[in-house]
Amino acid sequence: MRIMDHPVLGPMTPRREVEFFFEGRKMKGMEGEPIAAALMAMGIRVLRRSKWYGQPRGIFCAIGLCTDCMVVVDRVPNVRSCATPLREGMDIRMQLTSDGMRTLR
Amino acid sequence: MIRTQVAIIGAGPAGLAAAVELAQEQVDVLLIDEQEKPGGQLVKQIHKFFGSHKHYAGIRGIEIADQLFSEAKALGVKILANTAAYGLFGNRQIGIHKPHTYELGIVEADRIILATGASENPLWFPGWTLPGVMGAGAFQTMINVHRVLPGKKVVIVGSGNVGLIVAFQALQAGADVLMICEALPWVGGYEVHAAKVQRQGVPICLRTTIERALGQEGVEKIVLIRLDEHGKPIPGSAREIEADTVCISVGLSPLAELAWMAGCQFCYIDAMGGWIPVHDAWMKTTAENIWVAGDVAGIEEASTAIEEGRLAALGVALSLGVMREETAIDRRKEVTERLTELRMGPFGETRRIAKDPLCSL
């Protein structure tokens, strides 16, 4: 959910809306915002699955330190979704193994 | 390769303050920061600081960041944003990486100030890896910087200032804060912050902690448990509540990897967040050309980080020979007095006692 109005920060500054894909589904987000923010605004919490047990993982630190939120962007694995700006047409996939093997299939 | 007189790693309060101070002495300064926007953790501090006017009382953190950065820019400080400093080679070369463009490079500096800040401590319990369990700072970044709400029903673990402030800001962002739980028998943060959230109806449950988080694809429920006077869980006291977000605020640790790489000597001070690089009163480490300032030199606050940044800048200016020794010593005295003032009271006192012996080395 987006915070459109805020008692201290005021209304949200409009940014250009862009289309992107998550797991093949077409979605909309704001250009330049972190991928993780765009996904969170769409209600998506699971960004990755753990290597051995397939457990869900999501945002943990939100500042690019913990690497728990890694996704595959345009076939490039290990992209930190909280620290990578969203661009038009990005093809974002949930990362299924920690080395991004899925992209080789 | 980029050449500069002084490289400052981290454009938070410490790094920005150091940059301003050095640029005023006509020193060529380059700031390196991983984030897009300078300011470090100030960019999400939407509350007003308190204390004295010398320390930005009544001004919001976000405004302090803007103010420091415009001062730095006006003085000609250069900034490499979206750039991670991934390593130090010897005592002068910094390896940099721009993850968005896959560029790699080297910055060579005569002096280096590490102002890398801190990272949030995790807390281990069954279910701690579920989406929805996150650092309180992470929640704060999402709501105040990116303007998205990670969850509607929030439980905060830890009643230090971060936990208390984030609880209030979660309310401002439109979330429902179910409670703040605290394992200790007392509130960790300032009374003012605690009173503010309590006035909003958020209960602070002492001697209570999270036992586990439950859910399939994310947090759905959490189990809370009461602790006895020895901190042991009281059998039969577990209680399940519905929640979708758990914010962990159980302290910070200095982000000191670069100082370890540089071979700095370290010391362990619990009150400062653990292992910190040993430094003198000028914030100089034991490694040649390497200074530290801010949370990397021990967890404190933005206001102390700013003063430490100034101290480091004075030390660097003196070592470069751009400032006379008497001037540097006089200025250091002024800054140290302000720091001592900041380190008064029940919270500051432990840190002052911890830091003073270091600085007299």
Side-chain angles (χ1 to χ4, degrees), chain B residues 45-89:
Chain B
Q45 309 301 334
I46 61 166
H47 57 282
K48 289 179 180 166
F49 281 47
F50 52 82
S52 73
H53 284 290
K54 279 177 282 189
H55 302 121
Y56 301 93
I59 307 178
R60 299 182 196 281
I62 30 175
E63 290 157 359
I64 302 174
D66 288 343
Q67 200 177 313
L68 283 171
F69 185 53
S70 25
E71 272 178 62
K73 258 197 316 199
L75 289 163
V77 169
K78 284 171 290 189
I79 179 152
L80 275 177
N82 291 317
T83 306
Y86 68 84
L88 291 181
F89 304 106

Side-chain angles (χ1 to χ4, degrees), chain A residues 2-6 9-15 30 33, chain B residues 146-148:
Chain A
R2 289 197 190 274
I3 304 160
M4 299 310 288
D5 207 7
H6 190 285
L9 298 164
M12 200 161 142
T13 326
R15 277 174 120 163
M30 313 272 199
E33 73 178 336
Chain B
H146 308 313
R147 302 285 292 261
V148 287

Side-chain angles (χ1 to χ4, degrees), chain B residues 85-101:
Chain B
Y86 68 84
L88 291 181
F89 304 106
N91 296 42
R92 300 181 61 149
Q93 293 198 335
I94 304 161
I96 56 164
H97 174 222
K98 291 178 172 251
H100 307 336
T101 50

Side-chain angles (χ1 to χ4, degrees), chain B residues 286-309:
Chain B
T286 56
E288 203 187 335
N289 298 330
I290 314 279
W291 275 256
V292 282
D295 274 358
V296 67
I299 308 300
E300 291 188 84
E301 286 162 22
S303 39
T304 41
I306 290 172
E307 299 295 8
E308 284 195 342

Side-chain angles (χ1 to χ4, degrees), chain B:
Chain B
M1 185 160 69
I2 304 166
R3 276 275 319 145
T4 180
Q5 236 178 327
V6 178
I8 301 176
I9 305 175
L16 285 173
V20 168
E21 204 72 19
L22 281 164
Q24 276 168 352
E25 305 303 322
Q26 276 76 49
V27 174
D28 170 34
V29 183
L30 177 69
L31 273 166
I32 303 168
D33 195 273
E34 195 171 12
Q35 304 296 321
E36 194 172 342
K37 202 172 176 305
Q41 303 316 305
L42 283 173
V43 301
K44 59 196 188 195
Q45 309 301 334
I46 61 166
H47 57 282
K48 289 179 180 166
F49 281 47
F50 52 82
S52 73
H53 284 290
K54 279 177 282 189
H55 302 121
Y56 301 93
I59 307 178
R60 299 182 196 281
I62 30 175
E63 290 157 359
I64 302 174
D66 288 343
Q67 200 177 313
L68 283 171
F69 185 53
S70 25
E71 272 178 62
K73 258 197 316 199
L75 289 163
V77 169
K78 284 171 290 189
I79 179 152
L80 275 177
N82 291 317
T83 306
Y86 68 84
L88 291 181
F89 304 106
N91 296 42
R92 300 181 61 149
Q93 293 198 335
I94 304 161
I96 56 164
H97 174 222
K98 291 178 172 251
H100 307 336
T101 50
Y102 307 107
E103 279 173 89
L104 288 166
I106 296 283
V107 169
E108 197 178 80
D110 297 332
R111 303 286 185 274
I112 297 169
I113 301 177
L114 304 177
T116 42
S119 65
E120 297 194 87
N121 292 337
L123 185 70
W124 298 278
F125 50 85
W128 76 289
T129 56
L130 279 173
V133 177
M134 66 184 75
F139 189 90
Q140 197 185 25
T141 304
M142 293 317 283
I143 57 174
N144 295 345
V145 181
H146 308 313
R147 302 285 292 261
V148 287
L149 197 58
K152 290 288 281 179
K153 286 186 275 182
V154 181
V155 170
I156 313 256
V157 181
S159 70
N161 284 325
V162 173
L164 298 173
I165 289 169
V166 171
F168 191 76
Q169 293 177 357
L171 295 172
Q172 288 179 319
D176 192 4
V177 181
L178 305 177
M179 67 159 71
I180 299 171
C181 59
E182 170 59 63
L184 291 170
W186 54 78
V187 171
Y190 292 128
E191 192 53 45
V192 229
H193 293 317
K196 228 167 132 183
V197 286
Q198 285 170 311
R199 270 200 296 277
Q200 299 297 318
V202 176
I204 301 180
C205 302
L206 301 176
R207 279 189 178 153
T208 304
T209 194
I210 183 165
E211 204 248 319
R212 60 181 65 233
L214 304 164
Q216 285 301 311
E217 296 290 271
V219 178
E220 291 161 25
K221 281 176 188 170
I222 65 162
V223 180
L224 293 163
I225 196 152
R226 297 255 305 141
L227 304 172
D228 66 16
E229 59 271 33
H230 309 292
K232 295 260 180 295
I234 300 173
S237 68
R239 158 161 84 99
E240 211 174 89
I241 60 168
E242 265 179 51
D244 56 22
T245 307
V246 181
C247 291
I248 307 295
S249 54
V250 293
L252 301 158
S253 296
L255 262 178
E257 292 93 336
L258 293 174
W260 286 108
M261 272 189 97
C264 296
Q265 194 188 320
F266 272 71
C267 62
Y268 189 89
I269 304 177
D270 203 48
M272 304 304 294
W275 288 101
I276 62 168
V278 170
H279 58 81
D280 64 12
W282 301 98
M283 305 307 294
K284 168 83 170 54
T285 68
T286 56
E288 203 187 335
N289 298 330
I290 314 279
W291 275 256
V292 282
D295 274 358
V296 67
I299 308 300
E300 291 188 84
E301 286 162 22
S303 39
T304 41
I306 290 172
E307 299 295 8
E308 284 195 342
R310 290 181 179 138
L311 278 184
L314 293 173
V316 168
L318 180 63
S319 82
L320 286 170
V322 296
M323 190 182 277
R324 286 174 47 233
E325 193 170 358
E326 306 86 87
T327 319
I329 289 172
D330 281 350
R331 300 264 297 277
R332 189 183 83 181
K333 204 169 150 251
E334 287 164 30
V335 181
T336 313
E337 273 165 20
R338 291 201 297 269
L339 263 174
T340 309
E341 219 174 287
L342 284 169
R343 289 175 180 149
M344 283 194 298
F347 297 99
E349 192 69 5
T350 33
R351 300 193 306 253
R352 192 183 56 73
I353 293 167
K355 270 230 163 171
D356 274 359
L358 260 189
C359 297
S360 57
L361 287 177

